[in-house]
Amino acid sequence: MVRTKLAAALFAATALLGLPAAAQEKPKELVVGIATFLSGPASVFGVPGKAAADLFFEEINAKGGILGVPVKPVYVDEGAGTNQLISEYRRVVQDQGAQIMLGAISSGSCNALAPVAEDLKVVNVMWDCGTQTIFEEGKWKYSVRTQGHAGAEMMATLLYLMKVKPDFKTVAVVNQDYAWGRESWALLQAGLKALKPDVKIVAELFPKFGAPDFSTEITRLSALRPDVVISTSWGGDLDTFVQQAAARGLLKQSTFVLPLAESSMERLGAVMPEGVIVGSRGDHYFLHPKYKNTAEMQAFVKAYKAKTGAYPIYPTFHMNQAVTGLVKAYEKAAAAAGGKWPSKEQVIAAFEGLEFKSLTGTITIRSDHQGLEDQMLGTTRRVPEYPFAVYDKIALYPGKLVTTPLGEKSLDWFAKVKPELVKDKSIETFDYVK
C-alpha cells in the first residue's frame, strides 16, 4: 500500500510539473499506424509512401526492431474522407494499441488529426502534409513534423523563379481548392508582392480537389497568355492538369512552375516538356546531385524499383524521414531514460532539437516541433537515359534560409522578404550529370 501511494504521488508530481512520464515496460511489439492515400486520385502519391514504409520497417525488423522491439505497421486509407479517417485513426490507437501514428498526406487531414492525437495522447508524426499554419497557429504537444512546410517550399520556389526568369510581368495560378492550395497561393502572392511589386495577377483559379476536367481553366489561360502559370497541385490532379494543358499547347505558351511535380515526372513520361520549373517538396530526388551515388541511396532506389517497378518519388523520402526520425527519437529517449523503454511523452520530448541524417541531407526538429529540410528546384530537361524529364539547372536552398523563423507567421515573413535572398551565397547550384 505504501508503494502504491508513493507511485501515485510521483505520477501526480510528474503531471503537475509537466515532466515526461516515466519509462515503461518494453512491449512485445510496437504498433505504428500510418495514414496515407490508398484509394482515389491521390493514391498515386500515397501508395508509394506505403511501399517505402514497408521497405523501411522490413529493414528495421530484420535488424531487431526499434530498441529490440519489432514494429507492426497498420495502414489507414486517407482516401475514405475526413470523418472516416478520424474514426479509423481512433480505432487503430484504441483497439489495436498503436503507440505511434504517422499522419498524413493532406493538409486538411493533418489539421483534423492534430487535436485527435492530443485527445488520445498518441505520438503523431506528420510525415508529409505541408500546411504551415499547423504549428504557427496552434501548439500541439503530441504532434511533430519531420519535413519542411509550405513556407520553405514556396519561398524556395519564388527565389528560383526570380533567378531563372526575372523579367516576368504576369502570373496566373491553378491550385486545388482546399487548405494546401489556398494557403500555398497566399504565401506565393505575398512573396511576389514583396519581391516583384509590379507583377500582375491575371487569374486565380481553384478547381475542386479531384477534378477530372480542367478545360475551363485551360481555355481561360490560353486566352490570357500569362508569362508564368503556377500550380502547387499534386498527385492525380497535377497529372491530369499537365496532360490536358500539354494537349492544348499551354506548356509551351507560358512558363509553368510546378513545385510538387517531382512525384509526377515518371508517370507523365513524354508529356512533360523541357523548360518547366519543378520542385521536390524538399531536396528529395533519386538523382540528387550530392547523394545519388551514396550506398544508402543506391540500395533504396534498387529495392524500391524492384518492389514497385518505378523510381522512388518524394513521398517515399518523406516516409524515410518520418521513420528515421522515429527511430532516432526512441534511441534518444531511451538513452535519457537509462536504457529503459521510453514512454510516449518521453518520445515526443526527444524529438525537440533532434538532428538526424536522411537519404538526402540532415533534418533538424525545432522546439516548435517543425522540421527543417533543404529545398530543391530545377528546370526540366529531356535526356536519352530516361523516358521522362529530369532536373537540370538545379538549385539547392538550405532549410534554415527558406523556413519562416521561429515565432513568426509565414505570411508576415513572406511580405517582408528582400530581393537579396535570391542570390544568397549559401544556395548551391548544379547541372544535370549523367
Side-chain angles (χ1 to χ4, degrees):
M1 183 177 294
V2 170
R3 285 197 297 268
T4 302
K5 289 181 178 179
L6 180 59
L10 286 171
F11 181 84
T14 298
L16 285 171
L17 293 171
L19 299 174
Q24 300 175 345
E25 184 178 347
K26 183 178 289 190
K28 293 182 179 180
E29 65 179 8
L30 179 65
V31 179
V32 177
I34 304 170
T36 185
F37 279 99
L38 302 177
S39 62
S43 63
V44 298
F45 192 80
V47 171
K50 177 184 182 299
D54 287 339
L55 287 172
F56 298 138
F57 285 126
E58 286 170 8
E59 182 180 3
I60 287 169
N61 285 336
K63 295 178 179 179
I66 295 179
L67 303 179
V69 176
V71 179
K72 178 184 178 181
V74 177
Y75 294 95
V76 175
D77 186 6
E78 197 174 342
T82 302
N83 291 337
Q84 184 65 23
L85 172 63
I86 292 173
S87 177
E88 286 296 294
Y89 187 100
R90 286 186 176 277
R91 182 187 63 79
V92 171
V93 175
Q94 295 173 326
D95 297 345
Q96 296 191 247
Q99 292 188 8
I100 306 293
M101 295 296 291
L102 308 186
I105 289 179
S106 164
S107 294
S109 297
C110 280
N111 282 326
L113 293 177
V116 179
E118 297 296 300
D119 180 48
L120 296 172
K121 294 181 172 57
V122 63
V123 176
N124 181 56
V125 181
M126 297 178 180
W127 72 272
D128 190 70
C129 61
T131 175
Q132 77 283 358
T133 61
I134 196 80
F135 292 119
E136 290 182 358
E137 297 181 1
K139 187 173 178 63
W140 307 106
K141 176 181 177 180
Y142 288 93
S143 289
V144 62
R145 178 156 44 194
T146 48
Q147 87 282 343
H149 60 48
E153 296 157 11
M154 296 305 104
M155 181 58 72
T157 299
L158 281 174
L159 298 181
Y160 187 84
L161 174 61
M162 291 293 296
K163 176 192 174 189
V164 302
K165 193 178 176 66
D167 298 328
F168 68 96
K169 296 180 180 179
T170 56
V171 174
V173 62
V174 184
N175 276 5
Q176 294 151 313
D177 191 9
Y178 82 112
W180 165 257
R182 295 282 179 173
E183 291 175 5
S184 59
W185 172 236
L187 293 173
L188 288 168
Q189 191 171 26
L192 281 170
K193 289 180 179 178
L195 293 171
K196 201 171 178 64
D198 58 339
V199 71
K200 184 178 180 181
I201 310 300
V202 297
E204 298 176 80
L205 309 175
F206 293 93
K208 183 180 178 181
F209 185 88
D213 181 18
F214 295 90
S215 57
T216 299
E217 290 79 12
I218 292 170
T219 297
R220 187 170 178 191
L221 293 174
S222 297
L224 290 169
R225 303 181 69 85
D227 296 329
V228 172
V229 175
I230 299 174
S231 178
T232 66
S233 298
W234 54 274
D237 287 21
L238 179 60
D239 294 358
T240 303
F241 175 57
V242 171
Q243 288 165 349
Q244 294 177 8
R248 297 272 295 273
L250 196 61
L251 275 72
K252 297 180 179 179
Q253 176 181 297
S254 303
T255 296
F256 269 61
V257 179
L258 309 175
L260 281 72
E262 184 271 345
S263 67
S264 295
M265 288 168 67
E266 184 176 4
R267 292 193 305 271
L268 288 169
V271 172
M272 181 74 83
E274 293 188 328
V276 176
I277 294 174
V278 292
S280 310
R281 283 204 65 216
D283 61 347
H284 317 303
Y285 189 37
F286 79 99
L287 293 175
H288 193 296
K290 295 175 68 174
Y291 298 102
K292 67 179 182 179
N293 292 322
T294 64
E296 294 82 3
M297 177 68 87
Q298 291 188 343
F300 173 56
V301 172
K302 181 179 179 180
Y304 184 85
K305 204 166 190 299
K307 182 179 180 67
T308 68
Y311 289 99
I313 56 178
Y314 71 74
T316 69
F317 292 94
H318 277 174
M319 185 61 75
N320 167 260
Q321 290 171 196
V323 174
T324 303
L326 180 64
V327 172
K328 296 303 181 183
Y330 262 96
E331 292 174 350
K332 179 182 174 183
K340 297 180 180 179
W341 183 260
S343 68
K344 291 180 290 185
E345 287 73 22
Q346 289 172 321
V347 172
I348 196 65
F351 269 104
E352 294 189 18
L354 185 69
E355 283 192 4
F356 59 91
K357 290 282 188 180
S358 71
L359 286 166
T360 54
T362 300
I363 306 299
T364 302
I365 308 297
R366 299 192 311 197
S367 60
D368 62 348
H369 293 195
Q370 173 59 52
L372 298 179
E373 68 176 348
D374 296 346
Q375 301 292 321
M376 179 188 291
L377 275 292
T379 301
T380 56
R381 173 182 170 184
R382 309 291 311 189
V383 296
E385 294 83 39
Y386 298 96
F388 50 87
V390 299
Y391 278 45
D392 193 19
K393 301 177 181 176
I394 297 169
L396 191 61
Y397 298 86
K400 188 175 181 179
L401 176 73
V402 293
T403 302
T404 309
L406 188 65
E408 291 194 44
K409 298 288 182 69
S410 290
L411 271 175
D412 297 335
W413 185 59
F414 270 64
K416 60 185 180 182
V417 64
K418 302 298 182 183
E420 293 77 37
L421 206 61
V422 175
K423 297 181 180 180
D424 191 272
K425 293 182 179 180
S426 65
I427 301 168
E428 298 180 81
T429 58
F430 309 86
D431 289 327
Y432 171 77
V433 179
K434 182 177 178 181

